[in-house]
Amino acid sequence: MNSLGAFNQYTDSLKQDGYLMPVLFIGHGSPMNGIENNIYSQTWAAMAEKIPTPKSVLVISAHWLSKGTQVTAMDFPKTIHDFGGFPKALYEVQYPAPGNPNLAAETAKLIKSTDVVLDHDWGLDHGAWTVIRHMYPDASIPVLQLSIDYSKDARYHYELAKQLYELRKKGVLIIGSGNMVHNLRMVSWQHIDEVNYGYDWAVQMNTIFKDLIANGHHDNLIRYDRLGSEALLAIPTPDHYFPLIYTLALQGKKDDVQFFNDYAVGGSLTMTSVKIG
C-alpha cells in the first residue's frame, strides 16, 4: 500500500458480493501431493471448479508458526520448499502467484484483538502452494498467508478468526491447511501407500471430529484436550489442528458443512477436509 488514497481505493473495490465465499479446511498431507495426480489433488482441482472464483486466497497454514500474528504483504511471495528428503522435482516447483499488499493491510485492519505485522520475508509454504497449484494452476489469483501465533491456545485463534468473516463477503477464499489427525511419530511407513489405512484410535477420533463439526459443537473442538487420550494421540501438537479452528470460526448460521478427501493415511494421519458454505 503506497498511500492512504490507494488503500481507500482498494477497500472501496472490495465491495460485498451477492454471496458468501465458502471456507475450506484442507488436509494437505505429504508435500508430494503438490506434484502427484492422485485422489487428493484431483479433489482439490474439482473443488475449485465447484466454488466461485475468488478475488484472492488467504491461507492459514500449519507450517507458518510465529510469535504474534503476521500476514504476507509482498507483491510476489516466494515459493518455500520447507521440507527435506523428497525428489528433486518437488524442489523445482515454483508457484508464482502474486501477493496482494492492499488485502494484507485490510486483513490486518480487520483484526482488532492483536497488532498484525505486515510481513515481507515469508512467502508461500507447502501448506499453501501444494494445494493451491492444483486448484488454480495458472497462478493468476493473489495468495496471502496468515501466520499462527504458536504461543496462544485454540480459543484465542477461534476468536481471532471470527474477525476475518467480512472477507468472505468480499470474494476472498479463506483456507485452513493442516490435518485433522496428525501424528507423524506413529506413522506406519509400511502401510503408507495402502488406501484408507488408519489405526483404530485415529479412525475413532476422526469420526468424533466430523460429528462435532457437523453438529456445530465448536466448543468441544476448541477444548480438544478434554476429548480423551485418543484426542491427544491425534493432536500431539496443535500446529496442524489450529487451521481447522480458523475454518470453523468462520462458519455462519446458514452455512452447511460437507466433508471430502475423507481418508486415513499411514495409520496416524487423516486427509479429511471440510467445506463450509
Side-chain angles (χ1 to χ4, degrees):
M1 183 177 66
N2 296 323
S3 68
L4 180 60
F7 177 75
N8 289 335
Q9 183 179 12
Y10 173 73
T11 52
D12 286 344
S13 70
L14 271 183
K15 294 181 179 178
Q16 294 186 10
D17 294 309
Y19 59 86
L20 276 178
M21 282 298 295
V23 186
L24 302 177
F25 170 74
I26 293 184
H28 64 247
S30 168
M32 288 299 293
N33 292 324
I35 60 173
E36 291 181 346
N37 180 25
N38 57 31
I39 191 169
Y40 312 122
S41 61
Q42 290 168 10
T43 304
W44 299 336
M47 180 62 68
E49 294 293 326
K50 293 178 182 178
I51 65 176
T53 301
K55 295 177 180 176
S56 290
V57 179
L58 176 65
V59 181
I60 299 94
S61 165
H63 297 284
W64 190 15
L65 309 177
S66 61
K67 177 65 174 178
T69 301
Q70 304 177 45
V71 62
T72 55
M74 66 286 289
D75 289 318
F76 293 97
K78 62 187 176 184
T79 303
I80 303 173
H81 300 90
D82 51 333
F83 39 72
F86 289 92
K88 181 181 177 181
L90 189 60
Y91 297 91
E92 293 175 342
V93 173
Q94 295 294 316
Y95 186 69
N100 192 331
N102 289 325
L103 177 58
E106 171 70 358
T107 300
K109 181 182 177 183
L110 285 173
I111 297 173
K112 308 295 186 183
S113 57
T114 188
D115 292 329
V116 178
V117 174
L118 300 180
D119 170 82
H120 294 88
D121 297 320
W122 187 250
L124 304 179
D125 61 48
H126 82 267
W129 65 261
T130 60
V131 173
I132 298 175
R133 73 183 302 259
H134 290 291
M135 297 181 70
Y136 307 110
D138 62 356
S140 62
I141 297 173
V143 182
L144 288 71
Q145 283 197 223
L146 184 73
S147 74
I148 296 173
D149 184 344
Y150 206 57
S151 69
K152 305 298 184 181
D153 62 12
R155 173 66 65 183
Y156 175 90
H157 292 295
Y158 185 83
E159 296 300 330
L160 186 152
K162 284 183 177 180
Q163 299 166 72
L164 301 173
Y165 188 84
E166 288 299 309
L167 296 179
R168 293 188 60 193
K169 301 177 182 178
K170 299 178 178 181
V172 179
L173 174 62
I174 301 175
I175 297 176
S177 179
N179 287 96
M180 206 173 292
V181 174
H182 186 268
N183 191 326
L184 286 181
R185 291 185 178 181
M186 297 185 69
V187 168
S188 175
W189 297 107
Q190 69 189 63
H191 296 285
I192 199 67
D193 294 322
E194 185 175 332
V195 177
N196 210 21
Y197 179 83
Y199 300 137
D200 289 345
W201 61 262
V203 174
Q204 175 186 346
M205 281 314 307
N206 201 65
T207 299
I208 290 172
F209 290 151
K210 287 193 300 177
D211 181 67
L212 292 172
I213 292 167
N215 289 287
H217 297 319
H218 293 180
D219 281 344
N220 300 81
L221 291 155
I222 290 168
R223 295 306 309 268
Y224 64 88
D225 55 319
R226 297 182 176 182
L227 295 177
S229 58
E230 291 85 359
L232 298 182
L233 285 174
I235 312 170
T237 59
D239 46 338
H240 278 70
Y241 184 77
F242 280 162
L244 173 64
I245 295 297
Y246 275 80
T247 303
L248 296 176
L250 290 160
Q251 182 175 4
K253 293 181 179 179
K254 296 182 180 180
D255 285 326
D256 61 355
V257 173
Q258 300 175 30
F259 298 101
F260 59 99
N261 279 347
D262 190 15
Y263 301 100
V265 176
S268 61
L269 306 171
T270 61
M271 296 292 289
T272 305
S273 303
V274 187
K275 175 181 175 288
I276 292 176

